[in-house]
Amino acid sequence: MISGMQAQESDLRRVGLHPDFWHPLAMSGEIKRGGMLGVSFAGEPIVLCRADKGEVFALEDRCAHRQVPLRAGVLCGDAVRCGYHGWAFGKDGRCLTVPNLGKGEATPRGVRAYPCREAYGLIFVFTGAPEKAEAVQLPCIDSAADPEYKTRFLSKRINCHYSFMHENLMDMNHQFLHRRYMGSIQPLLLKVDRGEDWVEGTYTFNRVAGRQSMGEKFMIGPRAKSASAHEHDLMVIRTRYPYQTLTFCRAGSDKPALDLWLSYVPVDREQRVNHSFGLMMIRRPAVPGLIHLFWPFIVLFTNAIFGQDQWIVEQEQRAHDAQGRDMNQEIFPIIRELRALLSRSGVPINL
Ligand code: FES
Ligand SMILES: [Fe+2]
């Protein structure tokens, strides 16, 4: 029997991510000049091409002739030649040349071209209706361009629906999962804010027992000297559809010690796999160069935490697949709000 709670909500794991946004599909460093990279958005194959001058463009990764992947072809200047019969497609997707085409025969149709932009070390593609692209803004990630911060790039394929990722980060009550690395800390949700396309939770933490780990210590730095006893460290987690951010400010400081930006992009048509892209900005300590000394600890620490999160969200997806529907008893109000936001902002998955 389906409970009242579940009956009110459709199955979020069957809601597709809305394509009418700038979704990151690769990191800039993955494509050299003259190179191509095959990626996908919700099962749609896309080839990213970096022309000789460095500009990146994105095409449907299916030759208009016999549907083979263009990524297996050759990039010549800013045209892609399919590896089978050598048809050439321009960066706007038009078919430019067809070898051996008889005189008087019309040039065949081309392939879909996607609006594409590069920023913050990521390649963003507008996967929805192209005419909407101009009106939709790229995400704004201020700290990524701020020299006071050092950035770590995250890029990982994770076997779960993107919604599990949003829920996992928003739900600070899962620190028990990280007890080995975080010790006993108790999250306290101070407030929830919301808007039409966003929901945000502000937390603080009490350390009940145990010490800060090295990575944790280096990531967030010392408490500001000016902080008074009633000021708390604050962690703000926000899903502004379709992206998610986490900022952590030490008590008495309004400049984040840690600023995290994340995007979870569905890979397959069923949206049971996502590629998570992230930028993790750590504020540099006052002593120049000190961050490079701490960096290996920060990397180890975050890898350990993210590894646990990946394992648990993939378990959640497996349970959903085995049970055939969402059997979660979600009782935490902020997560229920987040689920409602993701549901109403998404699109049906067309299989
Ligand atoms: S299949 Fe691409 S040119 Fe023939
Ligand atoms: Fe976690």
Side-chain angles (χ1 to χ4, degrees):
M1 239 188 67
I2 297 177
S3 73
M5 186 186 291
Q6 288 159 345
Q8 287 165 20
E9 299 167 359
S10 58
D11 187 345
L12 175 58
R13 320 307 173 194
R14 300 191 194 285
V15 174
L17 191 67
H18 206 298
D20 285 348
F21 290 94
W22 292 96
H23 294 293
L25 295 186
M27 293 197 298
S28 293
E30 289 182 273
I31 319 175
K32 307 225 171 344
R33 282 173 194 237
M36 294 193 279
L37 180 71
V39 294
S40 69
F41 177 83
E44 285 305 308
I46 296 172
V47 61
L48 304 175
C49 313
R50 191 183 291 284
D52 292 340
K53 287 186 181 148
E55 181 203 350
V56 179
F57 61 95
L59 298 178
E60 173 186 356
D61 192 14
R62 250 184 313 235
C63 177
H65 184 201
R66 298 181 67 90
Q67 318 305 310
V68 300
L70 287 175
R71 70 183 78 172
V74 183
L75 185 59
C76 308
D78 45 15
V80 179
R81 287 196 75 177
C82 174
Y84 201 170
H85 308 89
W87 290 21
F89 301 93
K91 59 184 176 184
D92 59 359
R94 272 188 312 137
C95 183
L96 302 176
T97 54
V98 174
N100 314 315
L101 185 68
K103 267 206 177 127
E105 286 184 54
T107 313
R109 69 172 170 83
V111 295
R112 178 175 173 183
Y114 292 84
C116 182
R117 289 188 198 162
E118 198 165 6
Y120 313 114
L122 295 171
I123 297 170
F124 292 87
V125 173
F126 194 85
T127 49
E131 66 277 9
K132 295 184 184 167
E134 275 301 307
V136 178
Q137 291 202 330
L138 269 185
C140 184
I141 315 173
D142 291 336
S143 332
D146 184 338
E148 274 193 51
Y149 290 85
K150 182 171 165 70
T151 301
R152 178 174 185 211
F153 289 90
L154 308 164
S155 167
K156 193 144 204 204
R157 194 164 280 210
I158 298 182
N159 292 318
C160 73
H161 188 257
Y162 60 88
S163 59
F164 288 113
M165 307 297 294
H166 281 271
E167 292 178 57
N168 170 268
L169 191 71
M170 186 68 81
D171 180 8
M172 279 295 126
N173 289 337
H174 80 266
Q175 293 315 311
F176 191 66
L177 173 69
H178 303 306
R179 60 197 176 278
R180 191 169 155 208
Y181 301 106
M182 303 288 281
S184 282
I185 61 167
Q186 216 168 47
L188 179 64
L189 180 65
L190 299 176
K191 62 176 182 138
V192 178
D193 293 296
R194 61 191 65 74
E196 199 184 317
D197 65 343
W198 60 277
V199 58
E200 173 184 289
T202 301
Y203 292 88
T204 191
F205 296 90
N206 285 325
R207 183 161 292 283
V208 182
R211 287 208 211 121
Q212 271 185 314
S213 66
M214 292 281 268
E216 188 190 350
K217 205 177 269 181
F218 295 146
M219 274 173 78
I220 62 177
R223 194 177 156 90
K225 288 200 181 77
S226 56
S228 61
H230 66 270
E231 285 178 296
H232 298 286
D233 295 344
L234 292 179
M235 180 175 277
V236 178
I237 302 160
R238 171 187 285 196
T239 291
R240 181 184 286 277
Y241 195 87
Y243 315 113
Q244 193 167 42
T245 56
L246 178 155
T247 57
F248 184 88
C249 289
R250 278 305 237 160
S253 167
D254 52 9
K255 188 137 190 187
L258 166 70
D259 194 4
L260 182 62
W261 177 92
L262 293 156
S263 177
Y264 317 113
V265 183
V267 172
D268 56 322
R269 193 169 292 279
E270 280 191 295
Q271 307 202 17
R272 288 294 180 265
V273 178
N274 78 84
H275 196 118
S276 294
F277 290 94
L279 298 178
M280 186 177 80
M281 280 69 68
I282 308 273
R283 195 164 171 205
R284 296 172 190 273
V287 181
L290 198 57
I291 189 138
H292 303 301
L293 201 66
F294 294 164
W295 203 247
F297 292 101
I298 293 172
V299 170
L300 272 175
F301 176 70
T302 47
N303 283 354
I305 299 284
F306 293 154
Q308 290 182 321
D309 285 325
Q310 175 172 358
W311 184 81
I312 209 75
V313 291
E314 290 183 343
Q315 297 306 310
E316 291 194 276
Q317 180 67 62
R318 287 177 67 170
H320 182 279
D321 290 343
Q323 291 174 303
R325 65 172 195 264
D326 189 354
M327 297 291 288
N328 291 4
Q329 296 189 71
E330 188 50 65
I331 55 169
F332 197 33
I334 190 172
I335 302 303
R336 289 173 57 81
E337 273 202 53
L338 171 64
R339 290 165 65 118
L341 167 67
L342 295 173
S343 280
R344 69 174 182 266
S345 307
V347 291
I349 293 179
N350 293 318
L351 296 178

